[in-house]
Amino acid sequence: MGSDLTVSTDPAEVGFDPARLARIDRRLARWVDDGQLPGFLVTVARRGALVHVGRQGLRDVEQGLPVEEDTRWRIFSMTKPVTSVAAMMLYEEGAFELSDPIAKWLPEFADTRVYVAGSTMKPVTAPQVEPIRVWHLLTHTSGLTYGFHHAHPVDAMYRAMGHEWGTPPGADSAELVRQWASVPLVFQPGSEWNYGVSTDVLGRLVEVLSGQTLGEFFEQRIFAPLGMRDTSFGLRPDDDQESLAKLYLAAPGQPGGAATGMTFNAAFDAGARSTPAFQSGGGGLVSTAGDYLRFVELLRRGGSYDGGRLLGPRTIAHMVRNHLPGNADLETFGRPLFAETPLRGVGFGLGFSMIIDPARYGVVSSAGDYSWGGAASTAFYVDPVEDVTVTFYTQLLPSSTLPIRNHLRQLVNQALVD
């Protein structure tokens, strides 16, 4: 599992048609040519053999710097599966039970109220009927939210505290958890699904249980064993600034031109160019395609890597099954928020979404294919039926701009002929 992205296997040997694989880059390149994506890098592997690496376009449009194999990307919410793995490593050591209330270690959540009615300024709240448990954090059923949703009065309370696309300057995870705990929950824990800061709180739980910062835990327990040398919370002091791809925002297109364009926003871009005060378990990592492929392959292999093991295969299997009550899908159990892919036919486990009904999902795919993505349009998925892993990198906010994730599945699956 080398860090480099050398294709060493003939695709036909593992059931891919090379001519059909070429369609992936051609389709993705159209978005680059149309000025809708700055550039991209995509990897496809089967049975652990890397069969396709495609890259096109620029990591820095203004300077004309191309996407390279060692380009660093802000992976945003693709940090969440790493934090979930960290938590489950502690679970395997008996540090907690999934049903434990988090107030056992984060007492500030003991008295957090639940929103019932009213406005942002005058909310009507009730006490928690059910405490937030560890599994609520892992499954996003805690009642925590994100300020950028703009869907609920509690989201506005987050924004008023400085939590929208970032967090208040200088605040660390302990302080931020105290702030989130001081605001009402969107609903009673366990009663609905809502994407939010649950995994950031989980990252703080990892810190409290391990006695290490999240960055230290990741580095010593996950990155070093996997050989992920270029993955960290923001760029480190000796990292090459030019290796980090610039971050672009989708902009409305011009009449008669592309549907959307891109603009560079220096303020958004600056966040990952140094080590942040807050090591966000929900979205703080920068990584390379080679590094993150090692992490994705760890999942595909059931928790083992070259010469070692981070998690037992049964733990991984438990993480990637649907944990929503009654095997419900996100469309039924979740809140109708932004989504890059359909929520119908999709369940959620301990840190991952998974396809539970491919026909209802509406894209050629396998039942049990599990995945997640990041705010800047990065994505990965593991298809355990076909034994395929796919990763995709670009830097375009928000991730709902283009239907990249659905196209990836249809393009990869049409190239499988055996």
Side-chain angles (χ1 to χ4, degrees):
M1 202 160 49
S3 247
D4 68 314
L5 295 175
T6 307
V7 174
S8 54
T9 304
D10 176 359
E13 285 181 27
V14 290
F16 274 107
D17 179 329
R20 285 177 162 260
L21 272 177
R23 292 177 176 177
I24 299 173
D25 296 358
R26 281 206 301 275
R27 176 64 191 91
L28 295 172
R30 273 175 29 208
W31 282 317
V32 177
D33 294 343
D34 289 347
Q36 295 179 277
L37 274 184
F40 69 83
L41 194 155
V42 61
T43 73
V44 182
R46 193 178 201 195
R47 299 171 200 150
L50 190 61
V51 296
H52 181 77
V53 177
R55 58 186 166 96
Q56 197 140 337
L58 305 171
R59 68 179 192 271
D60 182 331
V61 175
E62 289 72 22
Q63 302 294 323
L65 301 175
V67 170
E68 308 275 12
E69 290 189 354
D70 61 356
T71 294
R72 282 184 173 86
W73 310 92
R74 298 163 188 78
I75 60 170
F76 285 107
S77 289
M78 278 163 55
T79 305
K80 288 182 171 74
V82 183
T83 305
S84 302
V85 163
M88 295 306 287
M89 289 168 71
L90 292 169
Y91 168 80
E92 286 194 335
E93 294 168 9
F96 61 85
E97 291 184 70
L98 289 169
S99 57
D100 280 339
I102 64 170
K104 195 169 170 181
W105 301 279
L106 304 173
E108 52 269 52
F109 280 106
D111 301 315
T112 299
R113 306 279 293 179
V114 179
Y115 175 91
V116 178
S119 68
T120 298
M121 302 311 288
K122 284 197 166 178
V124 179
T125 64
Q128 296 173 50
V129 175
E130 163 90 346
I132 300 177
R133 303 181 186 278
V134 180
W135 76 270
H136 293 139
L137 296 178
L138 282 153
T139 56
H140 289 282
T141 56
S142 63
L144 294 161
T145 189
Y146 269 132
F148 62 72
H149 282 330
H150 293 263
H152 192 278
V154 174
D155 305 344
M157 295 181 205
Y158 277 54
R159 292 195 298 277
M161 295 167 63
H163 299 263
E164 187 165 10
W165 282 103
T167 51
D172 63 7
S173 58
E175 170 57 26
L176 293 172
V177 163
R178 283 193 291 273
Q179 291 180 18
W180 292 322
S182 72
V183 178
L185 301 173
V186 176
F187 49 72
Q188 290 287 351
S191 65
E192 294 184 53
W193 186 91
N194 184 54
Y195 198 44
V197 297
S198 291
T199 318
D200 289 305
V201 176
L202 185 70
R204 176 61 188 154
L205 187 62
V206 169
E207 292 184 332
V208 173
L209 289 168
S210 68
Q212 294 180 292
T213 67
L214 195 58
E216 288 167 349
F217 188 97
F218 281 0
E219 181 56 43
Q220 293 172 27
R221 302 285 307 270
I222 298 175
F223 300 158
L226 287 177
M228 294 171 66
R229 289 183 288 275
D230 296 317
T231 306
S232 56
F233 282 111
L235 288 185
R236 296 163 293 208
D238 55 348
D239 286 335
D240 173 16
Q241 286 283 332
E242 283 193 348
S243 70
L244 181 66
K246 273 189 173 177
L247 184 60
Y248 294 88
L249 302 181
Q254 303 306 312
T260 56
M262 301 174 300
T263 58
F264 172 66
N265 183 302
F268 268 121
D269 182 78
R273 294 199 172 270
S274 58
T275 304
F278 170 43
Q279 298 182 340
S280 165
L285 290 175
V286 298
S287 189
T288 61
D291 268 17
Y292 203 81
L293 182 60
R294 288 168 165 252
F295 178 74
V296 175
E297 281 291 322
L298 171 89
L299 300 174
R300 184 192 68 83
R301 292 177 176 199
S304 73
Y305 59 96
D306 300 339
R309 179 171 288 286
L310 295 187
L311 283 174
R314 285 155 191 80
T315 301
I316 299 258
H318 191 67
M319 294 172 77
V320 301
R321 61 171 56 108
N322 187 19
H323 285 250
L324 301 182
N327 202 35
D329 66 6
L330 288 172
E331 186 167 80
T332 311
F333 195 72
R335 298 209 148 213
L337 297 172
F338 77 100
E340 299 80 3
T341 53
L343 297 180
R344 58 186 183 273
V346 178
F348 203 86
L350 305 181
F352 307 89
S353 65
M354 68 287 308
I355 297 171
I356 54 177
D357 184 341
R360 189 162 151 73
Y361 183 60
V363 178
V364 174
S365 53
S366 301
D369 149 339
Y370 60 92
S371 63
W372 206 240
S377 304
T378 59
F380 81 92
Y381 74 86
V382 178
D383 183 334
V385 176
E386 300 293 355
D387 208 7
V388 164
T389 63
V390 176
T391 71
F392 176 83
Y393 307 89
T394 188
Q395 299 281 256
L396 180 71
L397 276 170
S399 55
S400 50
T401 309
L402 298 169
I404 293 164
R405 296 170 193 183
N406 286 347
H407 275 284
L408 276 176
R409 282 189 176 82
Q410 69 198 57
L411 289 161
V412 170
N413 282 311
Q414 63 81 32
L416 276 170
V417 292
D418 180 25

